[in-house]
Each structure stands twice: as C-alpha cells, then as structure tokens.
Amino acid sequence: EDIAGNPSRYSGAFRAFAEFMPIETDVEHDGANNPSLQLFASYDFGPLVTTFALDQRQYRDKMVCEDDFMVIPCSATNASDRTILGVPQKDWFKEGLGGTPARWKLVLNEVMLSPFKVPARTDRNGFRLGRELYEEKAGWTESGYVLNLDSWDGFPAERSEILNFIADENIKNTVFCTGDIHSAYDIV
C-alpha cells in the first residue's frame, strides 16, 4: 500500500518520525493538510567544515519508469526538469555551497550520487535482461547495465547540474557522504 494514499497514516508517520528522531523541527501541514518536515539544514564547524544535510525523499519527483530498482531506465528519466531535491532545496544548497567560506564542504547525501551501473545477466530464477531488451528502450544507448533509479541515477540531469555548478564555481574540497545503499552480491 502506498502510505501517501492514506492521509491519516501518512500524517502519523511524519509525526512519529518528528517525535522519535533527534531533530529540532515540527510537522507542518499545507492547505490540503499534507504533512511535511524541513529536514535539510547546514551546520558550520568554524572555518573548517560546513555540513549540508540533504533531504532526497520529500521533494523528489515521482518515478517515471515502471520500476526503479535495478532496471533499464526509460527515456523519461533523462528529462531536464526532473528533481530529486526539489527547486527550493536545490537553490538553498547551491547558495550555501557557493557561499560558505569553510575549507571543507561535507554533503550528507541519502542515496548514491555516483553512477552505479550493474551488469545485467541471467539470475538463478531465469530472469534475463539481454541486449534485445535494451534495444527496445527508446533513448537508452548503454547496453549491458541496469541502474537504481531511486538514487541520483534516476535524476541524471539534476546530478549533472549540481556537479557542473561545483566545477563552474570552482568550489574546492566538496565531499559527498552516502548512507543508503543495501547490497548483496552473488559470486558466480
């Protein structure tokens, strides 16, 4: 069940999160009684480090492909207006990143920023992702790999925008720390 389709359960989940996590924010509701928490924030540690904590769950666009985990991306994934951060958070992040005098910029990033390409193959159950499936997907030119579209791989234009901003503005010493990747590997 999609928790967002159940307003009281969705609101309760936000309230429970706010009450039991060590955060200093309250659940807010918009005019349609949709809950939200502003979780993105920055913390300065003198002139040495500014830490940016991003929220890549609340403000993101919905998935555009049939599935998002270890799949061949559909062409809509590459749309330039798709966002994992949302416009207000992205603007805040770029302004803070470009404006901090700290020597190091530490970005706490929920999902992998780096591309994570997994070679497609047949698994033990006979599930097969082969070249003919890639050729059927419009706009997909790299054959042989599947991606996790729940991460930045599902938002490649925005990832490029952020990385190009860092390069264009000559922002040095930016480190992205990722926390949410669950993996299991089968050695063949």
Side-chain angles (χ1 to χ4, degrees):
E1 175 185 357
D2 180 6
I3 193 168
N6 185 329
S8 64
R9 189 171 175 203
Y10 192 57
S11 185
F14 272 82
R15 193 178 81 247
F17 181 87
E19 290 175 1
F20 292 100
M21 294 303 290
I23 58 174
E24 296 180 19
T25 188
D26 293 320
V27 177
E28 297 178 11
H29 291 82
D30 65 12
N33 205 28
N34 295 314
S36 68
L37 288 167
Q38 181 175 324
L39 299 176
F40 62 90
S42 63
Y43 307 94
D44 294 317
F45 296 91
L48 186 61
V49 176
T50 296
T51 300
F52 296 92
L54 301 180
D55 180 354
Q56 296 157 330
R57 295 293 177 196
Q58 283 189 87
Y59 310 106
R60 64 173 36 212
D61 287 336
K62 294 186 182 214
M63 293 297 123
V64 292
C65 304
E66 291 178 25
D67 198 2
D68 64 1
F69 186 69
M70 295 302 143
V71 297
I72 303 159
C74 59
S75 61
T77 302
N78 295 318
S80 62
D81 62 340
R82 290 192 30 75
T83 180
I84 191 170
L85 297 176
V87 174
Q89 180 180 201
K90 179 172 55 177
D91 291 346
W92 163 86
F93 177 51
K94 288 167 74 175
E95 182 179 322
L97 198 58
T100 182
R103 180 173 184 89
W104 290 93
K105 295 83 177 164
L106 179 63
V107 182
L108 305 178
N109 186 55
E110 292 170 325
V111 294
M112 283 194 61
L113 177 75
S114 300
F116 187 61
K117 298 175 182 177
V118 177
R121 64 179 181 84
T122 303
D123 69 11
R124 291 181 203 174
N125 299 316
F127 180 71
R128 187 173 61 82
L129 289 174
R131 177 173 300 265
E132 63 278 2
L133 292 177
Y134 288 97
E135 291 169 354
E136 290 174 15
K137 296 282 185 175
W140 181 245
T141 58
E142 261 183 88
S143 63
Y145 293 98
V146 292
L147 303 173
N148 177 6
L149 303 183
D150 185 48
S151 70
W152 281 92
D153 280 340
F155 305 87
E158 188 168 65
R159 174 176 50 205
S160 292
E161 178 185 344
I162 295 294
L163 295 176
N164 288 335
F165 173 78
I166 291 168
D168 293 346
E169 297 296 316
N170 199 27
I171 300 171
K172 302 287 185 201
N173 303 322
T174 303
V175 179
F176 284 82
C177 295
T178 298
D180 187 13
I181 181 168
H182 307 264
S183 303
Y185 299 96
D186 182 14
I187 308 294
V188 179

